[in-house]
Amino acid sequence: MNPLVVVLSSQLLYYLLIAQTGIVGVFDSQFHALYTLPLGGVLGSVLAAYLPHTHIKRELFGAFVLQFFISLGYPHYSLVTLLLLGLSIGYTTPLLLFLFAQQSRVNLALGLALSYAIGTALYTYPFHQRGVIAILLPSVSLIALYFSPIFFSPYHPKKGLPWKSIGAMMVWIFADSALFETLSRSEEMDIWGHYTLLIILSHLLGIYGTLVIPRSLIHNTPLILGLFFLSYLAYYTHQGVILAIVYPIVISYYNVLLFRELTQMGEVRIIAWAMVGVGWCAASVANVVALTHHIWIVVLLLGVLAALYPFYFRRIV
């Protein structure tokens, strides 16, 4: 296995199990105690956009070392340490995606398959007891990075930011994050605690779907939209089994396509700015929607997208 695949997988797991659910769970989703984490993520992405990257491997080493030392204190974080943690994640993600432009679709799918399978299996692990996981994941990233042959090769960027594609990505991240944050706080719809194996298999099925249907993210808008509508319908009607099948499929399916789209943007600067909107802004707004119990906003947005797609988005495919 390509060691860079392990790096990507371990970093995705770090974001999922530590930054997105572990820390948020420990602090009980209190925004006043967590706001520096996304702020640091945005700052890290902006720095990645404008700093020179002649030694990407060294930069990643430094960021992973920072993650490791911050993780030694898990979960007792201050606003400053959360800022630094967000900074490290926000900085490394665009660099990893840039490097993955040289990897095959299969390697990208494999990296996400590993992260979703392991992340689902460990999802119910108590938030306060994830200290070992927090230390282990950046350690794995460092070891795998050491054995990763990285050759810096500049790419020819597209002209400017692909705003329409980024807008579509933000819609999917918003819909995904809002439902995820809502489900993670719902005792009635605890699908991860009851259907763990089914969710893992559904994730793998979604990833396999991207390999047999190799179309772009925009081309797949109707399919992704339909799967999200079905996921929200299953949530509102309390159909746990259906939700445990459909929701992981659409998560895995659109994420492989989204990551592939990001890696093909050709330049760290463009990827970094895309991550500001896709990875931090859309996800943060979705958290607010989930916390304030206004998830109907997501359904409304999906309806607007469904109405606009035939006349607007389809023109750019």
Side-chain angles (χ1 to χ4, degrees):
M1 180 188 298
N2 189 325
L4 197 59
V5 173
V6 178
V7 177
L8 177 66
S9 181
S10 61
Q11 283 299 294
L12 289 175
L13 281 168
Y14 190 84
Y15 178 77
L16 173 64
L17 295 175
I18 304 304
Q20 185 179 16
T21 60
I23 295 173
V24 173
V26 168
F27 286 89
D28 197 28
S29 303
Q30 298 178 28
F31 182 75
H32 68 275
L34 294 166
Y35 72 92
T36 55
L37 180 62
L39 182 62
V42 171
L43 179 60
S45 296
V46 172
L47 288 176
Y50 291 105
L51 289 180
H53 302 291
T54 54
H55 302 286
I56 288 184
K57 194 168 185 176
R58 295 180 187 176
E59 295 174 55
L60 290 173
F61 259 113
F64 295 159
V65 168
L66 177 61
Q67 279 185 15
F68 175 82
F69 281 108
I70 291 175
S71 297
L72 293 175
Y74 180 91
H76 306 291
Y77 292 149
S78 66
L79 290 175
V80 174
T81 50
L82 287 176
L83 179 72
L84 293 174
L85 182 61
L87 183 71
S88 69
I89 296 173
Y91 190 81
T92 56
T93 303
L95 300 185
L96 279 175
L97 292 175
F98 172 74
L99 293 177
F100 246 82
Q102 304 175 58
Q103 301 294 316
S104 66
R105 183 186 294 267
V106 173
N107 279 342
L108 179 61
L110 180 58
L112 267 71
L114 285 172
S115 61
Y116 280 127
I118 297 172
T120 301
L122 297 176
Y123 179 80
T124 57
Y125 204 80
F127 301 135
H128 288 83
Q129 299 176 27
R130 295 184 183 181
V132 174
I133 298 175
I135 296 172
L136 179 63
L137 290 175
S139 301
V140 170
S141 296
L142 284 166
I143 295 171
L145 181 64
Y146 178 80
F147 291 102
S148 298
I150 294 177
F151 304 100
F152 181 79
S153 178
Y155 291 87
H156 298 290
K158 297 179 180 179
K159 295 181 180 180
L161 286 168
W163 292 108
K164 294 178 182 178
S165 295
I166 292 174
M169 294 179 192
M170 291 179 68
V171 172
W172 302 140
I173 291 290
F174 179 66
D176 180 7
S177 299
L179 185 55
F180 178 82
E181 295 298 335
T182 300
L183 291 173
S184 65
R185 295 170 176 82
S186 173
E187 295 182 1
E188 296 180 2
M189 297 295 287
D190 180 19
I191 59 174
W192 290 278
H194 294 94
Y195 309 109
T196 304
L197 182 58
L198 181 60
I199 292 174
I200 292 175
L201 293 175
S202 298
H203 273 305
L204 297 179
L205 180 60
I207 291 172
Y208 178 73
T210 64
L211 299 178
V212 298
I213 312 176
R215 303 174 68 193
S216 70
L217 185 69
I218 298 296
H219 265 109
N220 277 288
T221 295
L223 176 59
I224 298 171
L225 192 60
L227 290 172
F228 265 121
F229 269 126
L230 187 55
S231 298
Y232 274 85
L233 179 62
Y235 164 71
Y236 277 115
T237 57
H238 301 281
Q239 300 297 318
V241 175
I242 295 176
L243 187 62
I245 296 173
V246 179
Y247 183 44
I249 288 176
V250 68
I251 291 175
S252 299
Y253 189 79
Y254 92 81
N255 264 308
V256 173
L257 299 177
L258 183 148
F259 272 68
R260 188 63 178 172
E261 190 95 3
L262 288 170
T263 61
Q264 298 303 309
M265 287 182 178
E267 188 182 15
V268 174
R269 178 183 61 84
I270 297 177
I271 297 172
W273 276 112
M275 288 306 301
V276 170
V278 174
W280 297 104
C281 294
S284 297
V285 173
N287 288 346
V288 175
V289 168
L291 287 172
T292 55
H293 307 289
H294 291 308
I295 198 171
W296 59 268
I297 295 175
V298 184
V299 179
L300 178 62
L301 179 61
L302 293 176
V304 171
L305 179 61
L308 291 178
Y309 177 76
F311 308 100
Y312 184 66
F313 288 94
R314 193 173 56 183
R315 298 176 185 174
I316 67 174
V317 299

